């Protein structure tokens, strides 16, 4: 077993204290990489495990089969399908809630529960109050997030419109459900607790409200282990088809589950891509520091070998230094990763409605974090340690041969005639040691590229928001109807005083198929030249809506493995529910979701339902919104109204306070890494030139002139690194944007001059701080001690 003599241990302590600034900077970079790894893997494990336990405990269905109206007897037929474990039927419907002081009603979804027992599937978690009494038709349990946002309490009363009839319900309790981890109003992507509610009532009461006695409008199905959901979905659609089935779908396609799955997958991608980059930077820094130290301690290495220390003991001394720095950084990173992960849990609870969410420490993340940090540091240091083994005592104790500069610096020699003495010294250093300067330039450029990428991602999120609500959606209100209605009825909206413009739209729910691939989605029928709700590509340019065919988003085309010229099979899930074969006329990038577009007239012709619309976008006079809201509220055909200003506010909250706040954490981390790189570059240059700088002081140079010789080199490194880092940052922005993008939304990279300006400001600020710290040490340096040190 290898032992470490006391003298080497004391030397290790002295060496670490002497390079404490550089050691702390490298440890900080390692800590950042490990912190991100621990935090992201911990969040991934926490969200995944809590979701799994929540789904299991409250028996969330694995297949959902909505239908217009099916008799209760069909439940037995569904249970007889191969692979089906349990079946629960229920009544569902859309509702509107009138609140005191609110002009517009709140959209809600009403769901039934068994009158006197717990449901076999999709149970709820009661957080306050009690469950409704099955014998009382006016009692209701409300989604907790809505109740909290609206200040409701058990015992309050709500005026609710169901199936066209108003009724007063008494709130008896609040609940959460695994079915609504991410609760959004119909047609919206961003949750707003105050604008969407879920109401649970007894099966008897809700059946009476929606004329569903002896019938159901949705079947919930759980599967036996190993059962293919698609086989059960096909069987359920076959049984329910003649009763108005709108298309069964698996749990993975449940909107709430899709959002949480995308979040988990995004964390996994980030954990696999960002920490390795940061740890690679730490390895590079370790290489630079240990390389300089071994070069400066050649004589000491020779003396240790002359006194009988073996190669492995000397090498082990420097390797212990590497391990000490790496382990210290990994330990700090683990602790900060736990703290940051726990703080992020509170952020996730704002938008994902778990009853609880505890940050779970994933043991593998610690093992991977420590292992990766040790591997990265060792990779940087072991390359240099080969020199220790190659040195014999005689060679090590002899001063190294001076480098041959006879063939270098010819251009510099011509320029030096125009420069003063300190400037010539800076120029000689750059031209005579290009590899060292190149390494420093690459390190600073790496830090700059990370800052450019993260600042650009922040700008990209802002640009996505601007594009969504200024380029795509130019309306003020979005009105949805209870069913597809005659187009002339939609244009009746234009007669409301204060409505400036009306643009109809038809959204048809459908199952899109190509070969064996399928997607539960919808076809969006737009007017020939949309103005208020436009389809745009990733560059913000309008997507031409061609008549006679469908335009697919790139993501949807990739899911269905289909291209322009192919035919898309469309099973419409409303009205007569025809099956259509539509040509794909184009595939275009999209910023939001996975849409399929058609010309409104062409869609209606294909459905053989001319002049029908299912909603409209309105541009209104802001001074008359209250009057417009009252008019819309009085229209029985209006199922819901979305106000764009409220959607914008909800998205801003999510980006600044919710999961989108992660990008600010990443930007801060980029700044820490950048500072660590620049500070180390400055410290290494100072250590390498300590004797030269002391000589200049003896020769009569002032402190400022001596500092200029060193800091001028740092400035030159910065000037060379800025364009390289800007170029590297441009490419890294696209990589990180792809990691942040999901099937639900795509981040379009925005690398603007402002992004470069802010990133360069971070680099310059780090350089100024590093320069001040180095200059302070130069001014305090002991000239005699530096002169006694051999090169």
């Amino acid at each position: 077993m290898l032992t470490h003599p006391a003298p080497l241990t004391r030397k290790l302590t002295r060496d670490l204290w002497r390079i404490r600034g550089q050691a702390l900077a490298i440890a900080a970079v390692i800590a950042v990489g490990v912190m991100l790894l621990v935090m992201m893997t911990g969040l991934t494990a926490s969200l995944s495990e809590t979701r799994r336990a929540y789904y299991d405990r409250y028996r969330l269905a694995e297949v959902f089969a909505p239908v217009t109206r099916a008799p209760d007897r069909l439940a037995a037929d569904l249970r007889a399908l191969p692979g089906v474990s349990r079946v629960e039927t229920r009544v569902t419907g859309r509702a509107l809630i009138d609140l005191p002081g609110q002009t517009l009603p709140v959209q809600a979804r009403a769901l039934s529960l068994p009158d006197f027992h717990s449901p076999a599937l999709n149970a709820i978690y009661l957080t306050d109050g009690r469950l409704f009494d099955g014998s009382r038709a006016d009692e209701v349990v409300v989604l907790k997030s809505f109740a909290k946002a609206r200040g409701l309490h058990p015992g309050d009363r709500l005026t609710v419109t169901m199936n066209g009839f108003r009724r007063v319900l008494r709130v008896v309790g609040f609940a959460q459900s695994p079915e609504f981890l991410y609760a959004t109003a119909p047609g919206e992507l961003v949750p707003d607790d105050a604008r969407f509610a879920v109401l649970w009532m007894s099966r008897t009461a809700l059946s009476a409200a929606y004329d569903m006695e002896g019938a159901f409008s949705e079947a919930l199905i759980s599967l036996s282990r190993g059962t293919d959901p698609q086989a059960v979905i096909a069987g359920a659609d076959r049984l329910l088809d003649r009763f108005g089935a709108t298309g069964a779908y698996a749990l993975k396609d449940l909107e709430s589950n899709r959002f949480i799955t995308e979040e988990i997958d995004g964390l996994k991608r980030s954990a696999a891509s960002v920490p390795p980059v940061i740890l690679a930077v730490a390895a590079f820094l370790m290489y630079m520091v240990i390389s300089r130290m071994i070069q400066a301690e050649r004589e000491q290495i020779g003396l240790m070998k002359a006194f009988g220390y073996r190669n492995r003991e000397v090498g082990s001394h420097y390797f212990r230094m590497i391990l000490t720095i790496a382990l210290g950084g990994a330990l700090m990173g683990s602790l900060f990763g736990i703290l940051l992960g726990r703080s992020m849990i509170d952020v996730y609870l704002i938008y994902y409605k778990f009853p609880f969410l505890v940050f779970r420490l994933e043991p593998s993340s610690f093992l991977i974090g420590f292992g990766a940090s040790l591997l990265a540091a060792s990779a940087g240091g072991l390359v240099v340690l080969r020199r220790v083994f190659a040195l014999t005592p005689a060679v090590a104790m002899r001063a190294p041969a001076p480098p041959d500069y006879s063939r270098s610096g010819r251009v510099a020699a011509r320029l030096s005639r125009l420069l003063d003495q300190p400037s010539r010294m800076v120029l000689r250093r750059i031209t005579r040691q290009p590899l060292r300067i190149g390494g420093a330039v690459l390190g600073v450029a790496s830090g700059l590229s990370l800052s450019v990428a993260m600042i650009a991602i922040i700008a990209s999120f802002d640009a996505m928001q601007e594009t969504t609500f200024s380029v795509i959606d130019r309306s003020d209100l979005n009105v949805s109807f209870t069913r597809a209605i005659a187009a002339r009825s939609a244009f009746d909206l234009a007669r409301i005083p204060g409505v400036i413009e009306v643009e109809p739209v038809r959204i048809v729910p459908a199952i899109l198929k190509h070969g064996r691939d399928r997607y539960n989605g919808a076809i969006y029928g737009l007017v020939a030249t949309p103005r208020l709700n436009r389809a745009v590509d990733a560059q913000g340019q309008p997507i031409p809506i061609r008549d006679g065919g469908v335009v697919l988003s790139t993501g949807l085309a990739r899911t269905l493995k289909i291209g322009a010229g192919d035919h898309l099979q469309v099973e419409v899930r409303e009205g007569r529910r025809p099956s259509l074969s539509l040509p794909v006329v184009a595939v275009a990038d999209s910023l939001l979701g996975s849409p399929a577009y058609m010309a409104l007239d062409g869609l209606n012709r294909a459905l053989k339902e001319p002049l029908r619309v299912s909603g409209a976008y309105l541009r209104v006079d802001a001074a008359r919104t209250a009057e417009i809201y009252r008019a819309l509220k009085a229209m029985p055909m209006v199922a819901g109204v979305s106000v764009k200003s409220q959607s914008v506010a909800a998205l801003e909250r999510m980006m600044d306070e919710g999961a989108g706040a992660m990008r600010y954490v990443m930007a801060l981390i980029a700044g820490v890494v950048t500072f660590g790189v620049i500070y180390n570059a400055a410290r290494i240059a100072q250590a390498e030139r300590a004797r030269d700088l002391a000589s200049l002081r003896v020769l009569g140079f002032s402190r400022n002139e001596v500092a200029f010789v060193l800091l001028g080199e740092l400035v030159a490194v910065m000037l060379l690194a800025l364009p390289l880092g800007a170029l590297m940052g441009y490419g890294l922005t696209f990589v990180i944007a792809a990691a942040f993008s999901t099937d639900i939304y795509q981040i379009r990279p925005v690398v603007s001059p402002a992004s470069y300006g802010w990133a360069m400001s971070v680099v310059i600020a780090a350089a100024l701080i590093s320069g001040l710290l180095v200059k302070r040490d130069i001014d305090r340096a002991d000239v005699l001690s530096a002169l006694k040190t051999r090169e």
Side-chain angles (χ1 to χ4, degrees):
M1 181 178 178
L2 183 63
T3 59
H4 303 284
L8 289 185
T9 301
R10 289 195 295 271
K11 182 180 186 304
L12 174 63
T13 305
R14 289 196 300 268
D15 287 345
L16 286 172
W17 178 253
R18 178 164 49 86
I19 63 166
R20 58 188 179 277
Q22 294 165 262
L24 286 173
I26 297 174
V29 175
I30 293 174
V32 165
V34 175
M35 178 186 71
L36 285 178
L37 183 62
V38 170
M39 179 196 69
M40 290 178 176
T41 55
L43 286 174
T44 300
S46 301
L47 292 173
S48 299
E49 181 60 26
T50 305
R51 178 182 63 170
R52 185 199 62 78
Y54 196 24
Y55 285 5
D56 289 347
R57 182 175 299 177
Y58 292 93
R59 306 178 295 280
L60 186 63
E62 295 166 270
V63 172
F64 296 76
V67 65
T68 302
R69 180 188 172 93
D72 287 337
R73 60 178 172 78
L74 279 183
D77 296 333
L78 291 171
R79 291 189 189 95
L81 290 173
V84 171
S85 174
R86 283 182 291 185
V87 173
E88 176 85 19
T89 61
R90 67 183 183 183
V91 174
T92 71
R94 297 181 67 172
L96 297 174
I97 302 175
D98 289 320
L99 294 172
Q102 298 292 318
T103 309
L104 277 178
V106 174
Q107 297 188 65
R109 187 177 177 194
L111 303 172
S112 72
L113 293 175
D115 292 352
F116 300 106
H117 62 85
S118 179
L121 297 173
N122 288 34
I124 62 174
Y125 169 61
L126 196 66
T127 62
D128 300 272
R130 61 174 176 83
L131 199 62
F132 50 75
D133 185 341
S135 62
R136 297 184 62 88
D138 64 340
E139 293 188 346
V140 63
V141 174
V142 180
L143 185 66
K144 180 181 178 180
S145 55
F146 171 76
K148 183 178 178 181
R150 291 295 185 176
L152 298 178
H153 300 89
D156 290 347
R157 296 187 179 276
L158 295 176
T159 302
V160 182
T161 301
M162 294 180 173
N163 199 26
F165 295 93
R166 291 166 65 90
R167 60 185 63 224
V168 177
L169 302 177
R170 181 169 173 264
V171 178
V172 295
F174 304 150
Q176 291 178 266
S177 167
E179 189 176 353
F180 298 99
L181 284 177
Y182 190 90
T184 59
E188 298 193 14
L189 288 177
V190 181
D192 188 340
D193 294 340
R195 295 192 298 128
F196 178 67
V198 179
L199 309 175
W200 287 277
M201 297 177 63
S202 70
R203 175 69 176 267
T204 300
L206 211 58
S207 295
Y210 288 96
D211 297 325
M212 286 283 177
E213 289 87 351
F216 63 89
S217 55
E218 187 171 32
L220 307 173
I221 303 172
S222 67
L223 308 178
S224 302
R225 188 183 299 273
T227 301
D228 180 12
Q230 293 304 321
V232 175
I233 287 172
D237 285 343
R238 185 174 59 255
L239 287 173
L240 299 175
D241 184 65
R242 62 194 181 99
F243 299 100
T246 57
Y249 56 90
L251 173 60
K252 67 181 182 65
D253 293 320
L254 179 68
E255 183 179 19
S256 171
N257 186 69
R258 284 185 61 203
F259 274 95
I260 190 67
T261 300
E262 290 289 352
E263 186 66 37
I264 293 172
D265 290 344
L267 286 170
K268 288 181 180 178
R269 290 192 297 268
S270 298
S273 58
V274 179
V277 173
I278 296 174
L279 291 176
V281 173
F284 174 77
L285 295 178
M286 187 69 76
Y287 169 82
M288 296 293 291
V289 170
I290 300 301
S291 175
R292 185 214 62 79
M293 178 173 288
I294 290 176
Q295 181 65 27
E297 294 186 353
R298 281 172 55 93
E299 181 179 357
Q300 296 180 31
I301 293 171
L303 284 172
M304 285 189 287
K305 290 188 174 184
F307 277 102
Y309 289 102
R310 290 167 293 184
N311 278 333
R312 64 176 184 176
E313 291 175 327
V314 178
S316 176
H317 163 71
Y318 291 100
F319 190 64
R320 280 197 298 160
M321 181 181 297
I322 294 170
L323 292 182
T324 301
I325 296 172
L327 287 173
L331 182 59
M332 285 193 299
S334 298
L335 294 176
F336 283 113
I338 294 171
L339 294 175
L340 187 58
R342 287 178 174 172
S343 65
M344 288 299 296
I345 284 293
D346 295 333
V347 173
Y348 278 101
L349 280 174
I350 296 174
Y351 290 97
Y352 297 108
K353 310 307 180 189
F354 290 101
F356 62 89
L357 188 59
V358 178
F359 183 67
R360 178 182 173 186
L361 300 179
E362 186 68 18
S364 62
S365 66
F366 292 99
L367 295 176
I368 294 172
F370 275 82
S373 61
L374 293 177
L375 182 63
S378 300
L382 289 176
V383 175
V384 186
L385 291 183
R386 292 183 304 172
R387 303 177 193 174
V388 174
F389 299 110
L391 288 174
T392 63
V395 173
M397 296 179 68
R398 185 172 61 242
D404 181 11
Y405 296 130
S406 61
R407 298 182 181 180
S408 64
R410 295 177 181 177
V411 175
R414 298 187 183 96
L415 291 176
S416 64
R417 301 190 186 100
L418 305 176
L419 304 174
D420 58 13
Q421 186 63 33
S423 300
R424 288 199 294 272
M425 295 179 69
V426 173
L427 186 60
R428 288 193 200 105
R429 169 80 170 182
I430 295 172
T431 56
R432 291 179 177 181
Q433 294 184 324
L435 293 180
R436 285 180 182 260
I437 297 299
V441 168
L442 181 60
V444 175
S446 299
L448 174 62
S449 68
L450 194 57
S451 294
V452 168
M454 294 316 306
I455 293 173
I457 289 298
I458 293 176
S460 299
F461 271 89
D462 296 337
M464 183 190 72
Q465 178 177 323
E466 177 68 19
T467 300
T468 300
F469 293 110
S470 297
V471 177
I472 297 176
D473 186 357
R474 295 177 170 178
S475 68
D476 298 312
L477 303 176
N478 173 19
V479 178
S480 58
F481 303 134
T482 54
R483 60 185 182 281
I485 63 173
R488 63 177 181 274
S489 298
F491 283 105
D492 288 342
L493 299 173
R495 299 193 181 97
I496 299 175
V499 173
I500 300 172
E501 187 176 358
V502 176
E503 181 175 288
V505 65
R506 184 164 188 187
I507 302 174
V508 178
I511 299 174
L512 311 179
K513 293 183 177 180
H514 180 248
R516 294 185 176 181
D517 299 299
R518 57 182 278 159
Y519 181 82
N520 280 49
I523 294 183
Y524 295 77
L526 307 181
V527 296
T529 308
R531 287 170 40 84
L532 300 184
N533 178 46
R534 307 192 306 158
V536 303
D537 60 21
Q539 286 70 45
Q541 299 301 313
I543 297 175
I545 308 300
R546 306 180 191 176
D547 199 3
V550 61
V551 178
L552 300 181
S553 66
T554 303
L556 182 54
R558 184 168 53 247
T559 299
L560 296 175
K561 299 182 180 63
I562 195 172
D566 295 333
H567 274 71
L568 177 70
Q569 303 303 313
V570 179
E571 294 182 3
V572 177
R573 312 314 293 178
E574 71 173 18
R576 297 181 299 105
R577 294 179 293 112
S579 293
L580 309 174
S581 179
L582 301 174
V584 177
V585 295
V587 174
D589 291 334
S590 175
L591 289 176
L592 292 174
S594 300
Y597 299 110
M598 281 189 72
L600 178 58
D601 292 340
L603 176 60
N604 282 331
R605 280 198 303 272
L607 296 173
K608 298 180 180 179
E609 296 176 357
L611 302 176
R612 309 286 284 183
V613 297
S614 60
Y617 289 85
L618 278 60
R619 188 161 61 89
V620 302
D621 182 354
R624 309 186 70 174
T625 53
E627 184 179 351
I628 295 170
Y629 293 163
R630 284 193 294 269
L632 292 174
K633 186 177 179 180
M635 292 183 172
M637 66 183 181
V638 174
V641 178
S642 295
V643 182
K644 187 172 78 171
S645 60
Q646 296 176 350
S647 299
V648 171
L651 181 60
E652 288 177 348
R653 284 196 301 273
M654 188 179 76
M655 290 295 100
D656 294 335
E657 303 170 9
M662 178 67 77
R663 67 195 197 279
Y664 295 115
V665 174
M666 298 293 289
L668 178 61
I669 287 171
V672 172
V673 173
T674 302
F675 175 77
V677 170
I678 295 174
Y679 179 77
N680 264 282
R683 283 296 186 187
I684 289 171
Q686 178 194 3
E688 289 177 339
R689 308 198 66 182
R691 192 168 188 273
D692 293 343
L693 299 177
S695 300
L696 293 178
R697 290 289 310 279
V698 172
L699 292 174
F701 283 78
S702 67
R703 286 188 173 91
N704 289 335
E705 289 173 326
V706 172
F708 174 81
V709 172
L710 181 62
L711 299 181
E713 179 184 326
L714 180 61
V715 171
V717 168
M718 296 287 299
L719 292 176
L720 293 171
L722 289 179
L724 177 61
L727 184 62
M728 292 169 60
Y730 182 80
L732 187 60
T733 300
F734 284 84
V735 174
I736 297 178
F740 272 101
S741 297
T742 69
D743 288 341
I744 298 172
Y745 61 84
Q746 291 76 45
I747 302 299
R748 181 180 53 154
V750 177
V751 188
S752 63
S755 300
Y756 286 119
W758 280 107
M760 290 180 181
S761 298
V762 171
V763 172
I764 292 171
L768 288 174
I769 295 172
S770 300
L772 290 174
L773 293 174
V774 170
K775 184 179 185 305
R776 183 193 62 181
D777 287 353
I778 293 174
D779 294 342
R780 296 176 178 177
D782 186 344
V783 176
L784 293 179
S785 298
L787 288 173
K788 290 177 182 178
T789 303
R790 287 185 56 181
E791 289 288 348

